[in-house]
Amino acid sequence: MAKFLVSYTWIQGAGQGRERDHTMIRCFAPVRSVHAFHNHTIRFVTPKLTANSSSSSSSLLSTRREALTVSIVTTTLEILISSFSASSSAAAAELLELPNSGGVKALDLRLGRGPVPVDGDQVAIHYYGRLAAKQGWRFDSTYDHKDQSGEPIPFLFILGSGKVIPGIEAAVRSMKVGGICRVVIPPSQGYQNTSQEPIPPNFFDRQRLFTTIFNPTRLANGEGSTLGTLIFDIELVSLRH
């Protein structure tokens, strides 16, 4: 369903001879593809009141203004819903739980056209890793791991070896080479100890990640179901049988 933000503003003139009263309705409609907002402003200018205007005229004007506002908001939303129906359909895409994954949810950002990996294959992936408990803080990215020529170094591992957190393995099994997907990994399929890969090479990032996930005080308070939730954007670069 499309979501719209509506801002209504009544700007009153400061007195006789000053600017007229204004009614402004600002409607914003999100567009998924560009991560931006369409901004539509409709402005109405009410007639200037003279010094001899009666209180009954002011009351009538106020009543008419409120009725007009309701009518315009309704009409504007109808126009926006019609105009952005295509964008709303795109925004309706949702993360779907992968079968037999223990609750890992994935969304394909780009479908691959290559082969599907199986256990025993050596796979190469690029990823962005973020921690939900820290407002999406990015704790690691292979795009930051560069070789001598400045090219990013992909992360290599044997699918099914158990050395990598289960959530990443489940995601990679569902992909084709060349594909990119976003996965939300629950704590049970994420880091269970500090030796599981991928491990952030930066000491401070690694320390912050693990002290958050394995914080004994917060775990004792029952926050374990949220502390270790991970978000990964994964690109399956290649595989080797």
Side-chain angles (χ1 to χ4, degrees):
M1 179 182 293
K3 295 183 180 179
F4 301 96
L5 304 179
V6 178
S7 173
Y8 163 73
T9 306
W10 170 256
I11 306 175
Q12 187 174 17
Q16 185 175 3
R18 301 293 181 86
E19 294 182 356
R20 301 180 182 183
D21 293 356
H22 290 71
T23 299
M24 279 199 307
I25 301 172
R26 297 174 66 86
C27 300
F28 305 85
V31 179
R32 179 184 178 87
S33 59
V34 296
H35 303 287
F37 286 88
H38 280 282
N39 183 341
H40 295 263
T41 301
I42 300 176
R43 177 175 294 177
F44 299 89
V45 181
T46 61
K48 183 188 296 184
L49 296 177
T50 64
N52 297 326
S53 296
S54 64
S55 60
S56 61
S57 298
S58 299
S59 175
L60 179 60
L61 179 60
S62 176
T63 302
R64 288 178 176 176
R65 183 182 70 238
E66 292 173 359
L68 179 61
T69 298
V70 173
S71 175
I72 293 301
V73 167
T74 303
T75 303
T76 302
L77 288 177
E78 289 175 353
I79 293 172
L80 287 173
I81 290 172
S82 176
S83 300
F84 297 104
S85 58
S87 298
S88 301
S89 299
E94 296 180 354
L95 292 158
L96 300 177
E97 185 170 335
L98 298 176
N100 305 314
S101 67
V104 177
K105 295 183 178 181
L107 172 65
D108 286 317
L109 303 180
R110 185 180 74 195
L111 293 175
R113 297 186 178 182
V116 177
V118 296
D119 285 1
D121 288 346
Q122 182 185 66
V123 296
I125 65 171
H126 278 302
Y127 64 78
Y128 288 101
R130 291 171 288 171
L131 185 61
K134 291 290 187 181
Q135 294 78 47
W137 164 64
R138 192 180 77 179
F139 59 83
D140 191 18
S141 170
T142 55
Y143 295 100
D144 296 333
H145 310 164
K146 305 291 181 65
D147 60 20
Q148 293 181 347
S149 63
E151 292 296 318
I153 303 172
F155 173 63
L156 304 176
F157 68 97
I158 303 298
L159 189 61
S161 65
K163 294 183 179 180
V164 175
I165 58 175
I168 287 183
E169 291 201 327
V172 171
R173 288 190 185 100
S174 72
M175 301 174 66
K176 293 182 178 180
V177 171
I180 300 175
C181 76
R182 174 166 297 165
V183 292
V184 177
I185 302 173
S188 63
Q189 303 302 310
Y191 291 102
Q192 304 303 306
N193 56 67
T194 58
S195 63
Q196 285 181 295
E197 297 179 339
I199 300 174
N202 182 281
F203 171 78
F204 296 103
D205 289 340
R206 185 166 63 248
Q207 185 179 46
R208 185 183 182 190
L209 172 67
F210 291 140
T211 54
T212 299
I213 294 176
F214 303 118
N215 185 305
T217 302
R218 298 182 67 179
L219 288 173
N221 290 335
E223 299 180 56
S225 61
T226 58
L227 287 179
T229 300
L230 307 169
I231 304 167
F232 274 87
D233 289 348
I234 301 173
E235 177 185 6
L236 181 53
V237 178
S238 64
L239 64 82
R240 189 174 67 185
H241 296 297

